Amino acid sequence: MLHFFLQEERIHSSQVRTFYDTFAQAFDSISYANQNTEVFMKQIVITKKGGPEVLKVKEVSDLVPNPGEVRISVRATGLNFADIMTRMGVYPDAPKFPCVVGYEVSGVIDKISPSVDPKWLGKEVLAISKFKGQAEQVVVPLDQVFEKPKSMSFEQAAAFPVNYLTAYQILIAMGGLRSNETLLIHNAGGGVGLAALEIANHIGAETFGTASQGKHEFLKKKGLKHAIDYRNQDWKAELLKLTQGRGVDMIMDPIGGKNMKWSYQALSSTGRVALFGLSTATERGLNGKLQKIKMLFQTPIFHSFQLLLANKGVFGVNMARLWHEKRKIRLWVDDLMEGQRQGWINPHVDKVFSFKDIGEAHSYIEERKNIGKVILIP
């Protein structure tokens, strides 16, 4: 009996030892595999010049922040008309193909460089990025990062930087819009247009806006006083009619070409026009090339004496050329965030697309279907 018991114990011990050895080997294999398996994240790549079909979602290795930088796990990223122009090959500041674009993101900081205060780790933030924002991860310098207000969703936060900073630069920093003045917003239903409308309404200026008829009711609910259907009306003639021939004190023009000429003509004395885009040059194919040539000849050239005698001003706005003005931009963001806290700034998200539907998102903006911001989510 004792002999049988000892034999059973030896069998049991042997089984335990075998099980332990097998488990240890498996654990070591898993650990080794984890150490040698690369982790990937997705990003939207414009592979070459062309239509929406050139947009691809690809995997690349996880990003690592350099000194002074943080890595953001992206929850939402903005889609802008500049991205469409880049895909078409008509955006002058675009990187070379293949490229990843995207100027604005919101998300959570999940990795920091040793030089960054650990308090930033895990914070919900929004940030401006010099391209590469349309990805699951983005690495940016800390001075381009801002804490996300709790009252903002990630989608709203991603709709904030480009649109509101552009509108602020035009109306406040450079345009000096006042409460007793009038403003015409071309493409009033776009992201910058809605941001400008909120800022102008807060200032107390009288607002006019061009948009397709289907957007008028929405814009009036947002506070636009005079809506003009640019597709079925001569917008300049209608504007002059509404202002008894006087014109307006400021015009925001993202179109360019001959529209810029008409905008200048529609200014009152002491009026100024801000050019912040060239959407007239975004048609594809042979007709698009002809349109670009035509636009160059139709865009007016202003002489300083001409401006002097007319008491008018013309200025340009390009946020992509302001990376060296980080202190100034931070002050602008502080002002805008105060407006958000007070409740008069509310970024409007029109539609959210997943990364896999990026082609559809580009077409949606290109066909002028959006009212406000289009957002992408991983």
Side-chain angles (χ1 to χ4, degrees):
M1 185 72 177
L2 179 62
H3 173 75
F4 177 77
F5 176 78
L6 291 173
Q7 188 177 32
E8 286 292 308
E9 281 296 304
R10 282 196 298 273
I11 292 171
H12 179 71
S13 298
S14 174
Q15 289 174 335
V16 171
R17 194 158 44 248
T18 301
F19 174 78
Y20 175 80
D21 290 342
T22 303
F23 178 80
Q25 288 173 6
F27 183 80
D28 289 343
S29 297
I30 293 170
S31 298
Y32 179 80
N34 285 340
Q35 290 173 3
N36 291 274
T37 300
E38 199 167 9
V39 183
F40 295 96
M41 64 96 174
K42 293 182 176 67
Q43 57 183 197
I44 297 169
V45 181
I46 305 176
T47 57
K48 60 183 178 180
K49 174 183 174 181
E53 70 279 357
V54 305
L55 298 159
K56 305 294 180 185
V57 179
K58 297 188 176 183
E59 288 189 337
V60 297
S61 301
D62 274 6
L63 305 180
V64 178
N66 292 315
E69 294 181 334
V70 299
R71 187 178 75 187
I72 299 172
S73 176
V74 175
R75 299 292 190 272
T77 178
L79 182 63
N80 294 288
F81 206 84
D83 305 330
I84 280 75
M85 294 178 71
T86 296
R87 193 202 75 227
M88 292 178 170
V90 296
Y91 191 61
D93 293 314
K96 293 181 180 180
F97 299 122
C99 64
V100 179
V101 293
Y103 284 108
E104 56 198 343
V105 301
S106 65
V108 179
I109 295 178
D110 67 353
K111 195 174 185 65
I112 61 174
S113 61
S115 59
V116 172
D117 191 327
K119 73 177 184 180
W120 283 97
L121 198 59
K123 278 191 180 294
E124 295 183 352
V125 297
L126 56 97
I128 52 177
S129 57
K130 193 172 184 179
F131 305 117
K132 300 186 181 299
Q134 291 173 9
E136 288 184 321
Q137 297 174 357
V138 65
V139 166
V140 293
L142 185 60
D143 58 10
Q144 292 172 206
V145 176
F146 309 87
E147 286 197 54
K148 181 182 79 66
K150 295 294 182 184
S151 57
M152 264 189 185
S153 67
F154 283 114
E155 290 81 7
Q156 285 180 311
F160 180 83
V162 170
N163 290 344
Y164 282 88
L165 284 170
T166 301
Y168 187 98
Q169 183 182 349
I170 293 170
L171 299 183
I172 307 299
M174 297 181 73
L177 185 67
R178 305 292 294 273
S179 61
N180 62 334
E181 292 188 310
T182 50
L183 168 70
L184 171 65
I185 306 169
H186 283 301
N187 191 18
V192 175
L194 286 183
L197 183 57
E198 287 186 338
I199 294 171
N201 285 338
H202 178 70
I203 291 171
E206 183 178 0
T207 55
F208 301 75
T210 63
S212 57
Q213 182 65 44
K215 299 179 181 181
H216 286 194
E217 184 179 353
F218 176 88
L219 290 169
K220 287 180 178 178
K221 288 180 180 178
K222 284 288 186 178
L224 182 67
K225 188 167 184 181
H226 308 282
I228 300 171
D229 182 2
Y230 72 95
R231 289 181 176 173
N232 299 307
Q233 292 177 299
D234 179 335
W235 71 259
K236 190 180 83 166
E238 186 65 19
L239 179 70
L240 292 175
K241 178 181 176 183
L242 290 168
T243 60
Q244 289 78 50
R246 178 182 179 273
V248 290
D249 298 299
M250 189 182 299
I251 297 179
M252 296 175 58
D253 191 329
I255 302 168
K258 61 184 178 183
N259 200 77
M260 180 66 177
K261 177 182 177 181
W262 297 337
S263 290
Y264 181 79
Q265 292 172 349
L267 289 175
S268 64
S269 296
T270 74
R272 52 273 188 213
V273 58
L275 180 65
F276 67 103
L278 296 169
S279 64
T280 190
T282 56
E283 194 171 340
R284 293 200 295 269
L286 177 61
N287 194 46
K289 292 178 181 178
L290 295 174
Q291 278 289 103
K292 294 177 187 65
I293 296 171
K294 189 177 178 182
M295 180 203 68
L296 290 174
F297 283 103
Q298 290 179 333
T299 300
I301 297 173
F302 300 97
H303 193 282
S304 55
F305 289 153
Q306 175 189 3
L307 300 176
L308 173 67
L309 295 174
N311 280 299
K312 295 182 180 181
V314 176
F315 62 92
V317 167
N318 185 349
M319 286 292 300
R321 298 288 182 95
L322 281 182
W323 295 105
H324 60 292
E325 295 283 6
K326 292 182 179 181
R327 179 179 175 276
K328 189 174 290 185
I329 289 174
R330 185 162 289 276
L331 292 172
W332 296 354
V333 171
D334 288 344
D335 280 354
L336 289 165
M337 285 296 188
E338 181 59 31
Q340 194 275 335
R341 281 189 289 271
Q342 293 174 6
W344 56 268
I345 282 183
N346 293 288
H348 176 73
V349 176
D350 175 78
K351 196 164 184 179
V352 177
F353 292 87
S354 66
F355 277 15
K356 65 182 178 62
D357 296 322
I358 181 60
E360 186 182 342
H362 270 236
S363 296
Y364 188 74
I365 289 183
E366 198 173 339
E367 294 166 11
R368 310 295 200 276
K369 292 181 178 179
N370 61 300
I371 303 178
K373 194 72 172 185
V374 172
I375 294 295
L376 305 171
I377 57 173

